[in-house]
Amino acid sequence: MDLIQATQDSNVNVPQMADTLMERVGNASWVVVFKALITTHHLMVHGNERFLQFLASRNTLFNLSNFLDKTGSHGYDMSTFIRRYSRYLNEKAFAYRQMSFDFGRVKKGADGAMRTMSVEKLLKGMPILQSQIDSLLDFEVSDT
């Protein structure tokens, strides 16, 4: 069973799954942390919403603002990337906590959620969405 399917299974302990990933994020190696962040992000986007709900309910998610892998020159270079990626995932979970939905999962188009939302909720959501977009742009993902 893959992890996405596991989040759909009512017998799977989602908090334990998330906690296991959080433990991996505490590793000193950027490679291990990066894999845990990618897995968490993948489950936030493609897994059952219970996974994202659990992450959003936590007081702290990724506390990696001071992450630094000192094992080699590549570790130093990737540490900035890790800090930015974790900030984006924190913002994504925070946005879910504030709005009770994931901006990436809502219905889009002419009758989409953002177009049919009340003005009050829309005004509440815009700064939250802006913060999430800012953290994504700060991430500066590239293929090089």
Side-chain angles (χ1 to χ4, degrees), residues 11-23:
N11 295 325
V12 171
N13 187 334
V14 169
Q16 184 179 15
M17 181 187 293
D19 288 341
T20 300
L21 286 167
M22 296 305 112
E23 286 175 22

Side-chain angles (χ1 to χ4, degrees), residues 25-56:
V25 169
N27 195 290
S29 167
W30 75 266
V31 174
V32 175
V33 174
F34 186 52
K35 287 179 180 181
L37 292 175
I38 289 172
T39 302
T40 302
H41 188 189
H42 195 71
L43 291 173
M44 289 170 85
V45 173
H46 301 290
N48 189 294
E49 198 167 355
R50 294 182 309 144
F51 185 80
L52 184 52
Q53 287 171 343
F54 176 75
L55 292 180

Side-chain angles (χ1 to χ4, degrees), residues 65-122:
S65 58
N66 296 320
F67 179 81
L68 184 60
D69 183 339
K70 300 176 186 175
T71 59
S73 62
H74 209 69
Y76 280 99
D77 295 340
M78 292 305 293
S79 293
T80 300
F81 184 76
I82 295 292
R83 290 191 297 270
R84 289 177 179 168
Y85 192 18
S86 67
R87 179 175 171 255
Y88 167 69
L89 295 180
N90 282 337
E91 287 294 331
K92 187 170 182 62
F94 177 76
Y96 186 91
R97 182 184 320 150
Q98 297 301 309
M99 298 300 296
S100 300
F101 67 85
D102 180 7
F103 287 105
R105 289 184 179 210
V106 294
K107 184 176 179 184
K108 295 160 182 72
D111 59 342
M114 300 297 279
R115 293 179 188 253
T116 58
M117 193 178 292
S118 71
V119 172
E120 293 80 19
K121 191 162 184 175
L122 194 59

Side-chain angles (χ1 to χ4, degrees), residues 124-135:
K124 175 188 173 194
M126 286 302 99
I128 296 166
L129 178 59
Q130 183 65 51
S131 181
Q132 187 175 346
I133 290 171
D134 288 345
S135 68

